[in-house]
Amino acid sequence: MADLSKVVEILLGGDKDKLIAEVQANLNGGADGKDILNEGLIKGMDIVGEKMESGDMFIPEVLNCAMNMSAAVEILKPHLPEESGSAKGKVVIGTVKGDLHDIGKNLVAMMMESAGMTVINLGVDIAPEQFVAKIKESGAQIVALSALLTTTMAMMKKTIDAISESGLRDQVKIMIGGAPVNQDFAEQIGADGYAPDAGSAARLAKELVA
Ligand code: B1M
């Protein structure tokens, strides 16, 4: 595998043009898109998170790194493995209310699209009633909830409860993901599934509509 430590280093340095040039140089050199994502960009964002926690990086710098990562993902998109097989199905995806993290959720949406699904990406900070309204309007078969904060995990349950109260629970499969959640939590709150990363999320979505 290519040495991707420079991608990590440049991501941490916060220069978007340099990051894009480095990602492109790695692609030109034959590096695997998935490796650049996992061993470069995601690894870099993990270090950003550690620095944020220890007070060595502040929110504006973190946000800048996040925006640069999103720009780099755009370059990587055509080089990421497509999920095999064409699955039909409509997914409503969003980051739950109170939570503004969207990079992971957008990767999940991208992988689902590459698996042939129609994805309605509601964005971040999405209230339970917004999910309910979109399910009604779109007739989606899957609802995909993302959360990155321990404080917003409870909003996943509130969203599932709102879907049940609106009488739509039997029409949709609900899947969850994001760093603080796991399979046990999914079962506890009555979700139909949990996926740890974007690739497995697309596979799970296909299974849920099969
Ligand atoms: Co925030 N943040 N942040 N942050 N941030 C974390 C999550 C944190 C772990 C950092 C840390 O302290 N180490 C920490 C959470 C602690 C906790 O609750 N346990 C944290 C905190 C505390 C906060 C604030 C409260 C900070 C503050 O204001 N004091 C604040 C909260 C704002 C809010 O949401 N209300 C905040 C703000 C921000 C920014 C806005 C500055 C920025 C987000 C910008 C953006 O997203 N557009 C930001 C960032 C960038 C991060 C870190 C550094 C990186 C997140 C990321 O994009 N990772 C993050 C630390 C970290 O994750 N290491 C951190 C890369 C991404 C590809 O991974 O999102 O995990 P991830 O997605 C993965 C999987 O989780 C999974 O697949 C993805 C791809 O494989 N997945 C799913 C995600 N959703 C899925 C859904 C699925 C299936 C899989 O199915 C539906």
Side-chain angles (χ1 to χ4, degrees):
M1 189 174 41
D3 176 15
L4 295 159
S5 54
K6 212 165 160 204
V7 174
V8 174
E9 193 187 307
I10 294 173
L11 179 87
L12 291 169
D15 186 320
K16 179 171 144 189
D17 293 340
K18 274 193 189 159
L19 182 66
I20 286 177
E22 183 61 22
V23 166
Q24 194 61 61
N26 273 284
L27 287 171
N28 294 346
D32 186 75
K34 205 172 166 192
D35 288 343
I36 301 175
L37 179 67
N38 291 327
E39 300 305 317
L41 300 173
I42 293 185
K43 200 178 231 179
M45 286 311 285
D46 282 344
I47 299 174
V48 170
E50 285 160 21
K51 284 183 179 286
M52 181 176 169
E53 208 167 5
S54 62
D56 293 322
M57 236 186 197
F58 299 103
I59 300 293
E61 296 164 280
V62 176
L63 197 49
N64 182 46
C65 291
M67 289 189 304
N68 294 349
M69 164 151 182
S70 295
V73 168
E74 285 300 313
I75 310 277
L76 274 186
K77 249 186 200 179
H79 304 274
L80 292 173
E82 299 213 346
E83 273 303 312
S84 58
S86 179
K88 291 212 165 52
K90 202 180 274 181
V91 184
V92 167
I93 189 169
T95 304
V96 296
K97 188 171 182 201
D99 202 318
L100 302 176
H101 296 86
D102 71 353
I103 298 176
K105 181 260 301 165
N106 289 343
L107 280 173
V108 170
M110 197 174 96
M111 294 304 280
M112 287 174 169
E113 272 169 2
S114 90
M117 309 185 99
T118 304
V119 178
I120 302 167
N121 190 341
L122 294 179
V124 296
D125 193 21
I126 304 302
E129 51 276 21
Q130 289 173 277
F131 280 105
V132 168
K134 194 46 90 174
I135 300 165
K136 273 189 191 148
E137 184 196 310
S138 66
Q141 297 93 345
I142 294 186
V143 180
L145 307 176
S146 179
L148 261 282
L149 299 170
T150 42
T151 49
T152 54
M153 288 165 66
M155 193 49 73
M156 289 179 145
K157 168 139 176 38
K158 287 194 177 147
T159 305
I160 295 177
D161 290 348
I163 294 169
S164 300
E165 281 155 22
S166 68
L168 293 166
R169 185 65 186 93
D170 293 341
Q171 289 175 38
V172 286
K173 300 285 186 190
I174 303 176
M175 55 184 284
I176 67 165
V181 304
N182 56 28
Q183 181 63 39
D184 281 352
F185 181 70
E187 285 165 21
Q188 255 177 52
I189 64 171
D192 298 299
Y194 155 79
D197 56 45
S200 54
R203 282 192 292 280
L204 175 62
K206 285 199 290 188
E207 281 166 31
L208 290 174
V209 288

